[in-house]
Amino acid sequence: MALGVLNIFYIVLGVIAIGLQGFLYFGNEKIISNRVVFILNMLFGIIISYLVFTSLPSNYSLQRIMAILIGLISILAMIVRVKDISSMVAKIMLSISVIGGLIQLFM
């Protein structure tokens, strides 16, 4: 029973990630603001890295550090976006954070 719930949770996380990434690159300004989608992607990347970090045992130090770094990429993307360096670079950084976190969580 518990593994079925965990499988549903993974499917929901995957669907949310696909939806947020789709809105990030192909979103229409009339439906939802680009700023809101960017912030939701950033928060989702941080939540995924937190889930990965807390799901690993304490002796998996390297994987836990990688989870923290994936969360930091998401925060750095927000800094890049605020500094107006490049919005496409910030979007790519968010995609790396979300997809990398999901890959690490599913492994």
Side-chain angles (χ1 to χ4, degrees):
M1 177 65 185
L3 290 178
V5 173
L6 185 63
N7 191 21
I8 292 171
F9 181 67
Y10 282 162
I11 291 170
V12 167
L13 282 177
V15 169
I16 290 172
I18 290 170
L20 284 175
Q21 292 299 308
F23 275 126
L24 183 65
Y25 289 104
F26 307 113
N28 192 352
E29 185 74 31
K30 295 176 184 176
I31 298 172
I32 189 167
S33 173
N34 289 337
R35 220 178 276 158
V36 172
V37 171
F38 192 85
I39 291 171
L40 286 175
N41 266 305
M42 184 196 67
L43 291 175
F44 190 66
I46 292 171
I47 289 170
I48 288 175
S49 67
Y50 174 75
L51 285 173
V52 171
F53 181 79
T54 57
S55 68
L56 291 171
S58 62
N59 61 347
Y60 284 27
S61 302
L62 184 63
Q63 287 88 350
R64 292 180 87 170
I65 291 171
M66 286 177 51
I68 292 171
L69 291 176
I70 287 174
L72 286 177
I73 290 173
S74 181
I75 294 171
L76 287 175
M78 186 62 163
I79 292 171
V80 168
R81 174 75 180 237
V82 168
K83 295 284 185 179
D84 289 332
I85 297 171
S86 173
S87 81
M88 186 54 77
V89 171
K91 288 179 182 180
I92 292 171
M93 289 172 72
L94 273 180
S95 295
I96 290 170
S97 174
V98 170
I99 294 169
L102 283 176
I103 289 172
Q104 193 176 9
L105 184 66
F106 292 158
M107 293 268 176

